[in-house]
Amino acid sequence: MSRRRLKIVLSYDGTKFLGWQIQRTGRTVQGVLEESLDKMHKHPVKVVAAGRTDSGVHSTGQVCHFDTDLDIQESNFSNAINSFLPNDIFVRKSCYVNTDFHARFSARKRVYKYYLVDYSGYNVFNRFYCTPVRNLSGLDLLNGCAQKIVGVHDFTTFTSVRDQSETRVREVYSAVFLREREFTVFRIEGNAFLWKMVRSIVGSILKYAPADDSGEELSRILFSRDRTLAGTTAPAKGLFFHRVYY
Amino acid sequence: MSRRRLKIVLSYDGTKFLGWQIQRTGRTVQGVLEESLDKMHKHPVKVVAAGRTDSGVHSTGQVCHFDTDLDIQESNFSNAINSFLPNDIFVRKSCYVNTDFHARFSARKRVYKYYLVDYSGYNVFNRFYCTPVRNLSGLDLLNGCAQKIVGVHDFTTFTSVRDQSETRVREVYSAVFLREREFTVFRIEGNAFLWKMVRSIVGSILKYAPADDSGEELSRILFSRDRTLAGTTAPAKGLFFHRVYY
């Protein structure tokens, strides 16, 4: 049987995962997914993802690839994998791709969404999927800050000092706050993101927006590359890895 | 300190509860709530609810009452209780009422909502809060059946043979299917409901609606009072105890 490369799009509820990346102990998305694929294939299968999400972060559009020697029709592969997966991971789509496709390196654009909610809209049903905020600023104020993030920048201010990327320069294509039902959602598109970058940007905008209608303060801390000026990193549970473009 | 009666409105995520009613073993909403109130009051407190929800059933509007000797302002009582509750129960409102108010016996109208979703809209985030259905009928067909339920009827067809009510006659004030985002929602209002009645009605409409655009078949099984003609009782996880009117 020839080997073919499969691309899959994954949703997962990050609540009960210690993030994407496999670890020696603890439940991870990669670990659970590979375990299921190992059972299907009856040999180990290595999965590559577009992005490594942290503990508690959700996904509606994580993309992965792996090579398979199973002769399963493209359209049936999702169902086949789902029958092995627990109910907090779900394969939404699957298709065969060229072997030069790489879930991580071929990605052109990644989209994250961060869900905020006023305390009046926070409830027992959305408690794992958004972050409640007191006196949440209006869209105008939030977007005054968000627009300052757009462009090619060194995002050192907004990443952990432990981030090990070779360069901290990334391009943000768009960054906007919008309303979605009871939520205020921060939607950010970029070529790639540093570790904790989205959550740190959200935390910083929440910190500076109330007194910064022009976004000047946010520009200043972005250019300072001084980690200590960032706001508190927003909680993982509000973050969704939304989509990857190739 | 004088004793006063407090009315509270409760949300809970039913996923990890064996229903409302306290049992010798297992986690119940009443059990967890009374335990929290016991701690606040430093003596046992007995709570009465408008309705006993089953294992896995949710609430956005359960109403309860209890008598208290604590001198806490009406508007602060919710926060006080919430500080003792786990994060899957939440007191939305609280107010003092006359001692002749009774959460169960004073209730004039109860409203339940049942959430259905097409498989294309079922995902890892709503998996505990709706029931996926294949080839879900359109609103016209569903409402053709639903309207037959309205009125004063003996609902024996739609309750468990183990229901111990003195009479199985209830009045349904309205019963309608409507769209709410990706969901098809069955909303039913009545004076009171028999055990498993809403879920049995939903299961029966799903069974008969596809071939019953006039609702004749549903009328026939309602009047038969023959439990064996009902459809499969719909799963608990799609049901929400929505509101109580006094």
Side-chain angles (χ1 to χ4, degrees), chain A residues 74-120:
Chain A
E74 187 166 79
S75 55
N76 293 338
F77 223 120
S78 308
N79 289 341
I81 306 174
N82 284 329
S83 69
F84 285 88
L85 287 173
N87 69 359
D88 51 356
I89 313 185
F90 184 76
V91 180
R92 294 176 46 205
K93 292 183 211 163
S94 53
C95 64
Y96 288 110
V97 287
N98 281 331
T99 50
D100 61 357
F101 174 86
H102 190 283
R104 181 169 168 208
F105 298 126
S106 308
R108 286 188 303 109
K109 188 164 82 175
R110 293 166 169 87
V111 184
Y112 281 87
K113 288 170 96 174
Y114 196 97
Y115 283 75
L116 299 166
V117 72
D118 191 83
Y119 264 91
S120 64

Side-chain angles (χ1 to χ4, degrees), chain A residues 9 22 42 62 76 127 133 136 237 240-241 246:
Chain A
V9 182
I22 211 159
K42 302 188 172 66
Q62 170 76 285
N76 293 338
R127 69 193 192 279
V133 179
L136 187 52
K237 65 180 189 168
F240 287 72
F241 189 14
Y246 290 93

Side-chain angles (χ1 to χ4, degrees), chain B residues 63-227:
Chain B
V63 175
C64 308
H65 81 255
F66 60 89
D67 294 331
T68 181
D69 49 15
L70 295 179
D71 188 23
I72 298 180
Q73 274 191 21
E74 189 166 75
S75 54
N76 293 338
F77 223 122
S78 308
N79 289 341
I81 306 174
N82 285 328
S83 70
F84 285 88
L85 288 172
N87 69 358
D88 50 356
I89 313 185
F90 184 77
V91 179
R92 293 176 47 207
K93 291 181 212 166
S94 54
C95 63
Y96 287 109
V97 287
N98 281 330
T99 50
D100 60 358
F101 174 86
H102 190 283
R104 182 169 168 206
F105 299 127
S106 308
R108 287 187 305 105
K109 187 164 82 174
R110 292 165 170 88
V111 185
Y112 281 88
K113 290 170 95 171
Y114 195 96
Y115 283 76
L116 300 166
V117 71
D118 191 83
Y119 265 92
S120 63
Y122 189 51
N123 60 47
V124 296
F125 305 105
N126 63 29
R127 71 192 191 278
F128 295 127
Y129 312 114
C130 62
T131 295
V133 179
R134 270 187 220 293
N135 304 318
L136 186 54
S137 301
L139 292 184
D140 284 354
L141 273 179
L142 294 168
N143 281 321
C145 288
Q147 64 175 344
K148 300 296 183 182
I149 296 297
V150 177
V152 178
H153 300 291
D154 180 324
F155 285 98
T156 296
T157 306
F158 302 117
T159 190
S160 167
V161 292
R162 292 190 287 138
D163 181 272
Q164 297 184 342
S165 309
E166 281 180 34
T167 165
R168 289 173 174 176
V169 174
R170 296 288 184 277
E171 180 165 8
V172 169
Y173 304 124
S174 76
V176 64
F177 283 86
L178 41 90
R179 290 289 297 182
E180 216 180 285
R181 293 182 285 131
E182 67 267 43
F183 306 105
T184 292
V185 181
F186 178 60
R187 185 181 194 283
I188 186 167
E189 297 190 351
N191 61 343
F193 292 90
L194 301 169
W195 191 30
K196 297 196 176 171
M197 179 169 150
V198 181
R199 292 161 54 194
S200 181
I201 290 172
V202 170
S204 300
I205 293 179
L206 290 178
K207 178 180 176 184
Y208 291 104
D212 185 22
D213 58 355
S214 63
E216 289 310 315
E217 196 61 16
L218 207 84
S219 278
R220 197 179 64 77
I221 72 160
L222 166 63
F223 293 128
S224 74
R225 291 180 288 169
D226 180 351
R227 176 69 181 148

Side-chain angles (χ1 to χ4, degrees), chain A residues 11-14 16 58-60 87-90 119 122-125 127-129 181 240, chain B residues 11-14 16 58-60 87-90 119 122-125 127-129 181 240:
Chain A
S11 282
Y12 46 83
D13 178 338
K16 291 185 178 165
H58 312 292
S59 166
T60 48
N87 69 359
D88 51 356
I89 313 185
F90 184 76
Y119 264 91
Y122 189 50
N123 61 45
V124 297
F125 304 105
R127 69 193 192 279
F128 295 128
Y129 311 114
R181 295 183 282 133
F240 287 72
Chain B
S11 284
Y12 46 85
D13 177 339
K16 292 187 178 163
H58 312 291
S59 165
T60 48
N87 69 358
D88 50 356
I89 313 185
F90 184 77
Y119 265 92
Y122 189 51
N123 60 47
V124 296
F125 305 105
R127 71 192 191 278
F128 295 127
Y129 312 114
R181 293 182 285 131
F240 288 73

Side-chain angles (χ1 to χ4, degrees), chain A residues 100-170:
Chain A
D100 61 357
F101 174 86
H102 190 283
R104 181 169 168 208
F105 298 126
S106 308
R108 286 188 303 109
K109 188 164 82 175
R110 293 166 169 87
V111 184
Y112 281 87
K113 288 170 96 174
Y114 196 97
Y115 283 75
L116 299 166
V117 72
D118 191 83
Y119 264 91
S120 64
Y122 189 50
N123 61 45
V124 297
F125 304 105
N126 63 27
R127 69 193 192 279
F128 295 128
Y129 311 114
C130 61
T131 295
V133 179
R134 273 189 218 293
N135 304 317
L136 187 52
S137 301
L139 292 185
D140 283 354
L141 272 181
L142 295 169
N143 280 323
C145 287
Q147 62 174 345
K148 300 297 185 180
I149 296 298
V150 178
V152 179
H153 301 292
D154 180 324
F155 284 98
T156 296
T157 305
F158 302 116
T159 190
S160 167
V161 292
R162 294 191 287 138
D163 181 273
Q164 297 184 341
S165 309
E166 281 180 35
T167 163
R168 288 174 175 174
V169 174
R170 295 290 184 276

Side-chain angles (χ1 to χ4, degrees), chain A residues 229-242:
Chain A
L229 297 179
T232 307
T233 302
K237 65 180 189 168
L239 185 61
F240 287 72
F241 189 14
H242 182 61

Side-chain angles (χ1 to χ4, degrees), chain A residues 56-75:
Chain A
V57 172
H58 312 292
S59 166
T60 48
Q62 170 76 285
V63 175
C64 310
H65 82 256
F66 59 90
D67 294 330
T68 182
D69 49 16
L70 294 179
D71 189 23
I72 298 179
Q73 274 190 20
E74 187 166 79
S75 55

